[in-house]
Amino acid sequence: MGASQTRTEHQYQSLADKTGFSLEQIKNLHQRFQHLSGNEEKISRENLDSIPALANNPIKKQIIEAFFDKRNQHQEEVGFFEEIGFEQFLMVMSHFRPPTLKMTEEEKQAMRKEKLRFLFNMHDTDNDGTITLDEYRKVVEELLSKSGAIDQEAAKAIADAAMLEVASTNVPHMGPDDFYEGITFEHFEQILKGLEMESRMHIRFLGVDTTTMRCGKSTS
Amino acid sequence: MGHRGNICVWLLGSVLLICIVLSVKGEAARQESHPMSSSNQTKQEHSSSITGLSIVTFKWHHVETPYLILVWILVAFLCKMVIEANHHVTTYIPESALLICCGFILGGMVWGADMAQTFKLQPTVFFYFLLPQIILDAGYSMPNKLFFTNLGAILIHAIIGTCWNAASLGLSLWGCQIGGAMGDLDIGLLQYLLFGSLIAAVDPVAVLAVFEQVHVNEVLFIWVFGESLLNDGVTVVLFNVFDAFVSLGGPAINAAEIVKGIVSFFVVAFGGSLVGLAFGILISLLTRCTKKVQIIEPGFIFVLGYLSYLTGEMLSLSAILAITFCGVSCQKYINANMDEDSVKTVKYAMKVFANGSETMIFVFLGISAIDKTIWVWNTGFILLTLFFILVYRFIGVFFLTWILNQTRLAPVELIDQVIMSYGGLRGAVAYGLAVLLDENKIKEKNLMVGTTLIVVYFTVILQGITMKPLVTWLKVKRAEQSELTLLEKVQNKAFNHILVAIEDISGQIGHNYFRDKWSNFEERWMSRFLLKPSVRKNQDQIFNVFQQLNLKDAISYVTEGERRGSLEFIRNEHAFVDFKKKFGDDFSEVMPYIMANMPDNYGTMPADMRRDPVPTVSLEMHEQTMKGTRENEDIDAHHLLEQHLYKSRKQHRHRYSRSHFDVNQDENEVQEIFQRTMRNRLESFKSAKMGVAPPKTITKHKKEQQQKMPNGKSSDKAKSYHSGDEDFEFSEGDSASGYDPHYGSAPTRVTYRPGAGIENPVFMPDIDPAAPTQIPPWLVEAELDSNTVAPSQRAQVRLPWTPSNLRRLAPLRISANSTDSFVMADVPTTEQRDDDQLPPPPPSPPNRDDSHL
């Protein structure tokens, strides 16, 4: 028992180094993971799909897909997992870590980029580096599908308008025959400059306390 | 500048004149009215002594009170006008400080005329007639999201900060008195605490007045402003509690009383907020059913808002909190429920009231200063009060912010804290409360009132003036005045959902969880009950932005067009190119015939040009016509617009109605206009057909082409029409009638931007296929008109070797080829976009065609 204890702790420590979570948080998340997977090693789409609180979320599908997207694992792989283990789970979660007070400007930039990349990947379903109009439309449609009041046509129009906006801000002087293929990551970054992504895209994980956060950071 | 200076001098002179007249008049009135009211007998004698009918009588005392009030208001407004006219002064000194200075001058004049202060800011006037509208406006225009996300911090500052200010100031002053710093004063500890509590609260009016001009970043602003609004509850409770304690006397205070005081705080604050909430809901519900009484719709908001204030006051709850929350809770629903005009009215009237009474408050505060009776000078007391207020404000803010920063991700920086502390302006609320003090219980009331006034002047004038340089000097983050783009809005929304989902998955319960629950609840229950069903859709933020964008596009399109001259604009190359891309496909679907002629016309595609270098006769001819009449085009266009947009007729139709604004809804008139137009069209058509003969084939070609359009459209809409020449105007009428209602349907964004020239074929399927074909009737006529006007010119131009003809052969001279089909394609868009913002043209009965026959 003792051996397995140390083993898990060792495991936790390496995970903490990798993801920047504190041990406390990892423990909490692991509990949650096991709860979701029904004490299995791996978690599948169905597990996540059946979370009751998610039922009302209009973009549930995309979010769940993001968990199984290999691009979000910081490895150079593309494609989708069928099931993910705890480590992958944590990796995805780590995109939502809050920034710490001690972060340098560069670290913040890096974090920001990482977060934006996550969002971008969520839109760019075919991984061609651009969010095309079709992809974007799909997201917007689904996003607005739950609100009920806005029909699909309007959603489409909104997606188009947003796309056009991106096009006009990023490529102000388009030639008459130019064709705006879609939002590249650079454009995406440019457009969302106003949203303070690094501080906004976060949730408070239980057991977060700034001291342990800093510890986690400094060890990594 | 010199000219403006002259004006200012003149204005100032007129203000002075008014004031002098006023004060003399007031004096005269007083002298006159005093003996009268004191002894009725003289009055009676006076009136009985009048014999016979006098044509004009001077009845000053009949109107005295309202007259004086109004003149004072007028003077206050004139002060503001004078101040605002000197723009270079207001950039350095905040308006509120200048208004107070104006008040000094006015007060001096009154003093000079009367040798006594006869006009003062009365607490009743202030609390019942000047304050409510300012607070209502603040609540109504509160940035709700910002306010509620920062609510925790605001509450901490408002409650703990204010208590801290009051207690520390009272205790320190008391300590200083015991230490002997202030000489012989008859003030006990409780009275010091009472004084501390009345002067502790940061004043919303003063804060708004100063911070509005400084434009600090929004978090800082909402912290200070929210605090100033919410700490009123605390002030009122503290004031009442200590007032009661003072009357009870020290020994009678026991633990039970103190507990009662604490309980009363919660009751007062939450009770007040609940009253406000209730009234807010009431207003929202009422505006659901005020469609029929649109004119008085805005009135409901003001009446009920004021009622919420009075109700709060009546129940001895915090009236300011009541009216604040009334405004905060109803703003979303009433803005959606009410007609757009009413919303505008409410917003505007709210500003008129709020700004007006703010002006009055500051001017009157200044006037109140010039009064010998209130000035009991005690250097120690006054200076120490000023000092303690400033110091404890800094300490309080720094300490509380430090605590809050422990959990904040984006900590409030030191500079912001300095500004926040420095922005602790005291204002008229403190003065009003000080005047409310009971002279019998508090011997040194005058000293307190005087000190309060000094504190107010010090904070508003000195701190107000130095605030802006300080903000610039410390490089405080300013507010960014950028509008969110549509993509950002969409992203924001997606973002919120993502965060909630991640919280759900990771099993955490955080801010996002609660926000999500609230917005679900809001959508499901609140919106259902408080919103008209028809407007729920517009509630979506994204949709709002989308519509605003549409509107902006339409406006910019029109202004752009105007800037370049109405028809010059359509010759713009970008626009030109756009049409080919955008409408080309649509046209080719519905109007293959025209499309056949298009490529060479739209000479942007060199390949096409080369393939078909020789243009068809008709188009070429028409192009030249257009060239020949180019100078006249603008005039023509204006003429056409004037004739067919029916604007001119509106002017003759002013009808008086107390409950309706809109004119020209008359069915008969619409009918008449329609017939008139049809007659015109018929005539021009006839003259085109039978007038001086242009080469027959060409006209016919032209005509067919015209005909094709409505036809294509009609068939598109599955409307029956008869083909053939004779039906030409009918199908036109058809297109005219079909044209209007279509734009009432779901808004489709026209993917076109003036000047931007973005080409994205992907967008094309989105354009309503019917849209480009909906040729407005006047356009069709324009074509015909040019045909009718043209012949002689045409005959001239149609020499085979004119320079323009040669030019026609050069495939790449694109811009020279602005032609009819291009115009045809363009104008519908202009019109369509116009429709986005203008009210649709008068509706026409569906069976128009028959009716005019």
Side-chain angles (χ1 to χ4, degrees):
Chain A
M1 193 64 199
S4 79
Q5 189 72 27
T6 48
R7 201 175 60 85
T8 42
E9 247 169 40
H10 186 71
Q11 220 174 1
Y12 281 180
Q13 189 55 52
S14 69
L15 282 176
D17 292 346
K18 237 186 227 169
T19 59
F21 283 113
S22 72
L23 289 182
E24 191 71 14
Q25 290 166 339
I26 291 179
K27 212 188 274 172
N28 278 327
L29 284 174
H30 196 208
Q31 269 169 12
R32 178 68 182 171
F33 181 81
Q34 283 181 325
H35 173 78
L36 288 178
S37 63
N39 284 329
E40 297 287 324
E41 278 292 300
K42 299 255 173 183
I43 211 166
S44 66
R45 284 181 174 78
E46 286 72 41
N47 291 135
L48 293 183
D49 215 24
S50 58
I51 299 172
L54 273 184
N56 264 331
N57 208 318
I59 46 174
K60 173 167 108 172
K61 217 178 79 199
Q62 275 95 339
I63 293 165
I64 292 178
E65 278 311 307
F67 273 89
F68 297 90
D69 194 333
K70 283 182 184 163
R71 283 175 297 172
N72 291 333
Q73 300 296 336
H74 296 298
Q75 279 136 13
E76 301 302 310
E77 289 177 63
V78 207
F80 291 93
F81 293 112
E82 278 309 304
E83 293 180 317
I84 52 168
F86 180 57
E87 190 184 330
Q88 281 94 3
F89 183 75
L90 264 192
M91 271 317 238
V92 175
M93 280 291 174
S94 73
H95 286 101
F96 293 89
R97 268 185 317 121
T100 56
L101 294 176
K102 282 230 169 147
M103 266 183 168
T104 61
E105 210 41 50
E106 282 123 55
E107 278 176 311
K108 263 191 193 151
Q109 280 305 319
M111 186 169 217
R112 178 191 163 77
K113 210 156 195 164
E114 200 179 284
K115 287 177 188 232
L116 279 173
R117 179 59 79 175
F118 180 85
L119 287 183
F120 185 81
N121 285 347
M122 225 166 108
H123 287 88
D124 180 22
T125 40
D126 61 0
N127 191 35
D128 61 353
T130 52
I131 302 171
T132 58
L133 184 69
D134 273 338
E135 286 168 339
Y136 194 64
R137 260 190 206 164
K138 217 179 283 166
V139 176
V140 173
E141 264 169 39
E142 258 169 76
L143 185 64
L144 299 176
S145 62
K146 274 281 178 355
S147 73
I150 298 178
D151 54 7
Q152 231 179 355
E153 280 303 307
K156 235 185 211 169
I158 287 172
D160 293 355
M163 199 72 172
L164 206 71
E165 204 177 55
V166 180
S168 64
T169 44
N170 284 307
V171 195
H173 305 291
M174 255 186 162
D177 291 324
D178 284 356
F179 170 73
Y180 192 71
E181 277 138 18
I183 309 169
T184 60
F185 183 65
E186 284 69 37
H187 290 175
F188 193 70
E189 216 178 344
Q190 185 69 22
I191 279 278
L192 294 183
K193 215 163 45 182
L195 305 177
E196 288 176 348
M197 207 45 81
E198 66 273 17
S199 54
R200 280 199 54 210
M201 182 169 158
H202 78 273
I203 63 171
R204 280 165 201 272
F205 293 98
L206 283 183
V208 176
D209 126 304
T210 35
T211 49
T212 53
M213 281 300 296
R214 262 171 232 153
C215 285
K217 197 72 212 170
S218 60
T219 47
S220 63
Chain B
M1 212 56 208
H3 183 62
R4 187 193 260 180
N6 277 344
I7 291 175
C8 297
V9 169
W10 184 81
L11 283 177
L12 198 65
S14 64
V15 171
L16 295 187
L17 194 73
I18 286 172
C19 300
I20 290 164
V21 167
L22 168 79
S23 48
V24 170
K25 221 187 235 173
E27 198 184 7
R30 240 179 323 284
Q31 279 165 359
E32 200 180 338
S33 64
H34 270 301
M36 270 188 204
S37 52
S38 58
S39 64
N40 266 338
Q41 272 185 332
T42 37
K43 195 177 178 182
Q44 232 126 45
E45 274 170 33
H46 194 67
S47 55
S48 62
S49 71
I50 295 172
T51 52
L53 181 78
S54 55
I55 296 173
V56 180
T57 49
F58 185 68
K59 293 194 265 186
W60 166 249
H61 52 270
H62 277 235
V63 293
E64 183 182 350
T65 322
Y67 203 93
L68 276 181
I69 292 173
L70 283 186
V71 173
W72 272 117
I73 294 175
L74 178 69
V75 169
F77 284 4
L78 284 176
C79 285
K80 183 165 179 132
M81 197 171 86
V82 172
I83 288 167
E84 282 301 317
N86 295 295
H87 190 65
H88 48 283
V89 180
T90 47
T91 45
Y92 298 109
I93 305 172
E95 198 188 285
S96 45
L98 286 171
L99 283 172
I100 288 184
C101 295
C102 267
F104 288 155
I105 298 170
L106 290 176
M109 279 192 282
V110 175
W111 181 266
D114 291 5
M115 292 321 281
Q117 183 52 278
T118 47
F119 184 87
K120 259 196 260 181
L121 182 55
Q122 302 293 337
T124 32
V125 172
F126 172 70
F127 282 113
Y128 287 108
F129 302 113
L130 294 180
L131 189 59
Q133 54 263 46
I134 297 180
I135 309 293
L136 182 64
D137 175 58
Y140 177 71
S141 39
M142 174 78 75
N144 269 351
K145 197 177 171 204
L146 196 61
F147 179 68
F148 283 109
T149 42
N150 288 294
L151 192 60
I154 291 171
L155 278 178
I156 285 180
H157 275 288
I159 296 171
I160 303 180
T162 309
C163 287
W164 156 257
N165 281 348
S168 58
L169 177 69
L171 289 173
S172 312
L173 282 178
W174 185 62
C176 289
Q177 197 201 348
I178 288 178
M182 288 182 282
D184 189 25
L185 280 179
D186 184 14
I187 305 179
L189 172 61
L190 282 174
Q191 294 177 2
Y192 272 122
L193 286 174
L194 180 60
F195 176 66
S197 68
L198 74 85
I199 214 165
V202 176
D203 185 69
V205 185
V207 163
L208 254 191
V210 170
F211 273 69
E212 246 179 20
Q213 297 187 346
V214 182
H215 304 298
V216 291
N217 62 66
E218 51 183 18
V219 173
L220 182 55
F221 176 77
I222 203 72
W223 276 31
V224 178
F225 178 51
E227 180 200 344
S228 70
L229 271 181
L230 297 191
N231 66 14
D232 168 73
V234 186
T235 322
V236 170
V237 175
L238 284 180
F239 185 77
N240 287 339
V241 167
F242 284 117
D243 202 29
F245 284 175
V246 168
S247 346
L248 279 174
I253 300 167
N254 50 24
E257 295 295 328
I258 292 174
V259 169
K260 262 200 258 176
I262 294 172
V263 170
S264 81
F265 162 72
F266 287 101
V267 173
V268 166
F270 286 100
S273 314
L274 277 183
V275 167
L277 229 56
F279 271 90
I281 291 172
L282 189 64
I283 292 178
S284 312
L285 279 176
L286 262 180
T287 48
R288 268 189 74 157
C289 24
T290 46
K291 197 173 175 0
K292 292 275 156 59
V293 284
Q294 229 181 58
I295 291 294
I296 58 164
E297 214 170 33
F300 282 110
I301 300 14
F302 292 101
V303 170
L304 281 172
Y306 192 39
L307 263 184
S308 75
Y309 186 84
L310 291 182
T311 312
E313 194 67 41
M314 179 179 77
L315 300 173
S316 76
L317 303 170
S318 168
I320 293 187
L321 282 183
I323 201 166
T324 305
F325 277 96
C326 177
V328 166
S329 59
C330 72
Q331 52 163 272
K332 176 180 169 188
Y333 305 108
I334 57 176
N335 282 353
N337 277 344
M338 286 193 309
D339 186 74
E340 202 179 322
D341 287 339
S342 305
V343 173
K344 234 177 240 166
T345 312
V346 168
K347 279 184 180 154
Y348 212 88
M350 201 84 97
K351 292 286 174 224
V352 171
F353 284 133
N355 211 319
S357 55
E358 186 190 283
T359 309
M360 281 183 256
I361 285 172
F362 284 121
V363 171
F364 294 170
L365 264 182
I367 293 175
S368 308
I370 313 298
D371 187 359
K372 243 186 346 199
T373 53
I374 60 164
W375 292 112
V376 181
W377 194 265
N378 183 321
T379 320
F381 186 78
I382 292 170
L383 287 185
L384 281 173
T385 309
L386 274 180
F387 175 73
F388 285 136
I389 281 182
L390 208 59
V391 168
Y392 288 130
R393 168 82 185 167
F394 268 91
I395 296 177
V397 167
F398 274 70
F399 179 67
L400 291 176
T401 316
W402 179 77
I403 293 178
L404 288 168
N405 268 347
Q406 298 303 305
T407 53
R408 275 181 74 86
L409 280 169
V412 174
E413 288 159 33
L414 194 71
I415 293 169
D416 285 1
Q417 294 176 37
V418 171
I419 294 299
M420 208 183 149
S421 318
Y422 202 67
L425 309 180
R426 312 308 204 263
V429 173
Y431 172 73
L433 288 175
V435 174
L436 276 181
L437 290 175
D438 188 352
E439 218 161 336
N440 299 323
K441 284 183 278 183
I442 297 159
K443 299 284 183 297
E444 304 284 355
K445 176 189 168 184
N446 279 338
L447 176 63
M448 289 186 182
V449 174
T451 313
T452 311
L453 273 179
I454 289 188
V455 169
V456 171
Y457 298 147
F458 180 83
T459 52
V460 171
I461 298 180
L462 280 183
Q463 294 188 14
I465 291 172
T466 45
M467 180 69 85
K468 212 170 193 173
L470 194 70
V471 166
T472 337
W473 182 60
L474 290 175
K475 298 191 184 67
V476 175
K477 233 205 284 175
R478 302 292 187 99
E480 286 160 23
Q481 301 274 356
S482 67
E483 279 175 55
L484 283 180
T485 58
L486 186 59
L487 186 96
E488 278 177 303
K489 283 266 180 195
V490 172
Q491 208 52 249
N492 247 342
K493 194 170 176 135
F495 203 59
N496 288 337
H497 285 300
I498 294 171
L499 290 183
V500 176
I502 298 292
E503 271 188 4
D504 288 338
I505 290 175
S506 66
Q508 322 272 340
I509 292 179
H511 290 304
N512 301 305
Y513 177 83
F514 287 113
R515 188 165 54 214
D516 190 50
K517 285 283 162 294
W518 164 252
S519 63
N520 273 346
F521 169 78
E522 218 261 326
E523 197 149 296
R524 195 174 295 169
W525 298 107
M526 307 279 280
S527 295
R528 176 172 300 170
F529 286 123
L530 301 180
L531 282 185
K532 279 186 199 169
S534 54
V535 295
R536 255 183 250 153
K537 170 180 186 174
N538 301 336
Q539 274 310 294
D540 196 281
Q541 266 196 327
I542 293 178
F543 194 76
N544 265 342
V545 180
F546 173 62
Q547 277 195 319
Q548 276 165 16
L549 268 184
N550 271 349
L551 203 67
K552 216 163 64 186
D553 276 3
I555 290 169
S556 70
Y557 186 95
V558 171
T559 44
E560 180 77 3
E562 260 166 22
R563 198 170 61 76
R564 301 191 188 194
S566 50
L567 284 180
E568 192 56 38
F569 177 56
I570 26 179
R571 239 170 251 123
N572 168 289
E573 214 167 321
H574 287 295
F576 185 66
V577 168
D578 245 19
F579 281 120
K580 179 206 74 201
K581 290 256 175 172
K582 257 192 319 150
F583 293 114
D585 278 6
D586 301 308
F587 270 95
S588 67
E589 275 167 33
V590 255
M591 294 180 294
Y593 189 75
I594 289 183
M595 270 314 284
N597 288 326
M598 268 190 154
D600 40 325
N601 240 330
Y602 289 130
T604 41
M605 276 189 242
D608 283 336
M609 291 293 285
R610 262 171 250 125
R611 203 181 56 211
D612 187 12
V614 185
T616 51
V617 188
S618 70
L619 288 171
E620 180 202 3
M621 192 235 43
H622 192 69
E623 179 209 348
Q624 289 173 358
T625 309
M626 296 287 279
K627 273 197 181 76
T629 57
R630 192 160 287 176
E631 314 83 71
N632 298 329
E633 268 177 353
D634 276 11
I635 303 158
D636 281 351
H638 282 300
H639 172 71
L640 278 170
L641 287 176
E642 233 164 56
Q643 217 179 348
H644 298 290
L645 287 180
Y646 314 127
K647 242 193 184 145
S648 52
R649 280 195 71 85
K650 252 188 205 170
Q651 291 164 356
H652 305 297
R653 276 276 172 161
H654 277 307
R655 265 172 296 162
Y656 177 74
S657 161
R658 220 190 293 271
S659 50
H660 289 290
F661 270 132
D662 32 19
V663 281
N664 209 18
Q665 297 278 322
D666 190 3
E667 189 74 12
N668 287 334
E669 190 177 324
V670 172
Q671 206 33 256
E672 197 231 300
I673 289 171
F674 175 72
Q675 290 191 8
R676 190 167 57 96
T677 324
M678 287 312 290
R679 208 179 311 125
N680 271 351
R681 205 171 294 154
L682 197 67
E683 272 160 22
S684 61
F685 171 68
K686 273 180 189 156
S687 67
K689 207 176 171 188
M690 306 182 292
V692 213
K696 186 72 182 171
T697 46
I698 291 164
T699 331
K700 198 169 180 207
H701 189 93
K702 193 69 226 139
K703 209 170 62 198
E704 268 172 19
Q705 188 181 333
Q706 283 305 329
Q707 199 181 345
K708 259 307 194 282
M709 276 191 304
N711 283 0
K713 181 180 154 295
S714 319
S715 63
D716 207 35
K717 293 208 137 195
K719 281 189 183 169
S720 64
Y721 67 97
H722 317 281
S723 55
D725 266 2
E726 296 315 306
D727 285 310
F728 185 16
E729 75 264 29
F730 298 155
S731 43
E732 260 175 45
D734 205 353
S735 84
S737 56
Y739 169 69
D740 299 334
H742 193 83
Y743 296 110
S745 64
T748 46
R749 181 182 166 92
V750 181
T751 51
Y752 166 66
R753 293 207 149 183
I758 301 142
E759 302 297 343
N760 193 346
V762 189
F763 292 145
M764 287 205 288
D766 279 302
I767 297 160
D768 191 342
T773 53
Q774 286 161 345
I775 308 299
W778 53 87
L779 182 69
V780 180
E781 192 177 2
E783 296 288 334
L784 285 171
D785 269 357
S786 60
N787 273 357
T788 50
V789 180
S792 58
Q793 280 170 345
R794 187 180 290 155
Q796 290 164 12
V797 188
R798 248 187 83 71
L799 297 166
W801 301 112
T802 57
S804 56
N805 222 347
L806 282 175
R807 198 191 303 159
R808 190 67 190 80
L809 295 173
L812 288 176
R813 286 301 299 263
I814 298 156
S815 55
N817 295 331
S818 61
T819 56
D820 53 343
S821 32
F822 156 49
V823 173
M824 267 158 22
D826 186 46
V827 179
T829 13
T830 325
E831 283 310 317
Q832 186 178 3
R833 304 182 69 89
D834 270 346
D835 272 4
D836 277 347
Q837 58 168 350
L838 297 174
S844 49
N847 54 348
R848 244 185 202 181
D849 305 351
D850 307 326
S851 63
H852 86 280
L853 283 177

